[in-house]
Amino acid sequence: DIKALDKALDKAALDKAGVKYEVVDAEDNPDLTNKYKIMQAPTLVEIRNGVANVIANASNIRTYAEKAN
């Protein structure tokens, strides 16, 4: 399935870059979905110095991970 492959690639890119992350199910956590205005999956929310940076879609997450590496 394409979505599962995308998720695996995203996780692999983040793991390779050494980015610590937690997978959160948006349907089970509507408070977080609303707080960070998450509109699609996958979305990565980076919180640095108390400021949230929302990175949406697989290609943007991969680009972020590559730059973090």
Side-chain angles (χ1 to χ4, degrees), residues 4-61:
L5 179 60
D6 271 349
K7 287 180 183 179
L9 291 173
D10 296 339
K11 290 178 183 179
L14 292 169
D15 289 339
K16 182 178 177 184
V19 174
K20 294 181 183 181
Y21 63 92
E22 182 176 340
V23 177
V24 176
D25 186 319
E27 291 180 8
D28 293 340
N29 296 280
D31 53 329
L32 292 176
T33 303
N34 292 329
K35 180 177 181 177
Y36 297 111
K37 298 176 178 67
I38 296 171
M39 303 298 287
Q40 68 181 45
T43 296
L44 175 69
V45 179
E46 173 194 38
I47 301 172
R48 187 176 293 193
N49 300 322
V51 178
N53 178 26
V54 179
I55 305 160
N57 86 41
S59 64
N60 290 336
I61 293 170

